Amino acid sequence: MTRSSVREIRLPMTVVFAGSAGLSLILFSALALAGVNLGTNLSIVGLFLALLLPLGLEIRNRSSRPRKVCIIDYRTHHFGQGIASSIVKSLRNDRAEWETEILVPGDHDNAVQWQIRQLQSAIINAVDAVVILPAGDEDDLWHAMAAVTRSGCFMVAVDSKPPNSVFRRINVEPPRFVSAKYSATGTEIAGWLQPWLAADRQRSALLWVGPTGSWPGEERSRNVVYPLLVAGHAAQLHLMTLSDWAPDPVRCAETLAWIRRQPGECAVYCADDENALALHLLCISQSPELRSRVTIIGCNAAADEWGNVPVLDMHAADVTIDIQVREQGKAVAQMLVRERRGKLSSGERSVFIKPKVVLGSETDGWLNRVMRRQQGAVAPADALDAADAADAADAADAAAGGPLTAAKEPAGADVLPLGVNHVAVPAADV
């Protein structure tokens, strides 16, 4: 199997010490032949050894050239930006030298075909390592990744797992893989929804499942739906299948129409924070009266370039799941460093980062504070004090395990079984 071009075999410590001792002995002999007295000879040799040995250790620890890493994203998004920035920051802290390049497709590029072209360029440019967020499950993309691996480049896939069968069929080692533990992500969402639904049987939940063909989306959706079915909440669940990850105004409008038909409180799992933000904005612009009785659930909690999470700063999601984007980037960087030092074993194939639940009431982002200050220009001081007190009460309730907002007692209503609660939404361009 071709050895990765990233991996380095450092100079053995015995060679460093033996070389330093040998050169010192040669100097000692040369000075002795030149007639230098023993004391002066030993002093010069000792000083020479004291300078030579640290130099040998530095040569051992440093490479002869910087290693080039190409990070290939498939869209401009906080998730990919967070992964890339975390990789770059971690590599900067390494004692060896790295060169990183972050590539993002244009608005009109086909993401898969664009990634294939970038992989071909990586081979031509002799890139040492490629980190890629696969744009889709297509054989052409997997074969391009296999060609990069066969060239000796170290390959790491993030978020979407390439099928091992494709690589084994052509006798190429599959790429290393780093991702959030999406099964646990779905379980965390179900774990929050289950007691919320159990507290009031008149509550309903709409789950945006999928998209079909997306490994993260399908893995997460299965682990949201299944625990809730086992817990006996089938009559309270409604499903909506996503065609893709892009926010869809038609989907959001259909969701608002569904909320209007429900007599009680509703929860909407929006698949990711971007869709949660889209639903929130449409709701407060078109049907603000509905926002008080709907709990919006997002996922990702990916921070922007300033370190803020927009969906939390705007209080667009009442609950979201932090998939630890920065930790994923650090895990990728650790793989690159360990491979370069020859310490990454063949059995270390995948790293899965455990997610955690984040409640919107626990945060008070900068954007929310700015909006409240702007409102303060026309609002009386006692109204601002009341808003601050309400925020403090929400935070106290969340810390004590209480509700996010004051629960309203809904009127009784009949609910349909899960089998007929599938909301069909026509495909529409954003």
Side-chain angles (χ1 to χ4, degrees), residues 204-373:
S204 301
L206 176 62
L207 309 179
W208 293 5
V209 296
T212 303
S214 167
W215 181 81
E218 292 182 346
E219 184 76 4
R220 186 187 298 160
S221 299
R222 280 195 297 269
N223 287 277
V224 174
V225 176
Y226 181 73
L228 295 176
L229 294 178
V230 172
H233 298 293
Q236 296 171 274
L237 297 183
H238 305 252
L239 304 181
M240 178 182 290
T241 303
L242 302 183
S243 58
D244 53 46
W245 288 108
D248 186 347
V250 174
R251 183 194 311 138
C252 294
E254 290 288 336
T255 298
L256 293 181
W258 174 84
I259 294 171
R260 291 189 191 95
R261 296 194 296 268
Q262 308 308 309
E265 289 184 304
C266 305
V268 180
Y269 164 60
C270 297
D272 67 4
D273 286 345
E274 196 172 3
N275 282 285
L277 183 59
L279 178 62
H280 168 76
L281 293 176
L282 187 66
C283 183
I284 62 175
S285 64
Q286 294 189 2
S287 304
E289 73 281 358
L290 297 178
R291 189 62 184 90
S292 61
R293 67 183 186 92
V294 59
T295 297
I296 296 179
I297 304 173
C299 189
N300 283 358
D304 59 21
E305 53 267 35
W306 296 282
N308 302 299
V309 181
V311 74
L312 296 178
D313 285 346
M314 298 181 68
H315 285 201
D318 303 287
V319 183
T320 189
I321 304 296
D322 186 356
I323 61 173
Q324 308 279 4
V325 173
R326 303 287 178 178
E327 295 301 318
Q328 292 185 52
K330 289 179 182 178
V332 173
Q334 289 173 2
M335 278 190 170
L336 293 171
V337 172
R338 287 171 57 82
E339 174 70 8
R340 180 171 187 172
R341 297 176 185 174
K343 295 183 177 180
L344 188 65
S345 69
S346 59
E348 298 178 74
R349 307 299 314 172
S350 302
V351 175
F352 296 95
I353 307 298
K354 186 178 180 181
K356 63 179 181 180
V357 176
V358 180
L359 304 181
S361 58
E362 294 176 344
T363 63
D364 191 19
W366 67 272
L367 182 58
N368 184 59
R369 292 195 297 269
V370 169
M371 292 174 66
R372 284 166 54 184
R373 290 193 193 101

Side-chain angles (χ1 to χ4, degrees), residues 70-75 77-84 87 103 111-112 114-115 130-136 141-142 145 155-160 178 325 328 332:
C70 183
I71 304 171
I72 304 176
D73 204 343
Y74 68 95
R75 61 172 177 163
H77 190 264
H78 296 329
F79 175 75
Q81 292 171 350
I83 294 288
I87 293 172
L103 302 175
V112 172
W114 176 84
Q115 285 192 330
V130 170
V131 180
I132 185 171
L133 284 71
L141 179 60
W142 308 137
M145 291 172 61
M155 173 76 66
V156 182
V158 181
D159 191 51
S160 294
V178 175
V325 173
Q328 292 185 52
V332 173

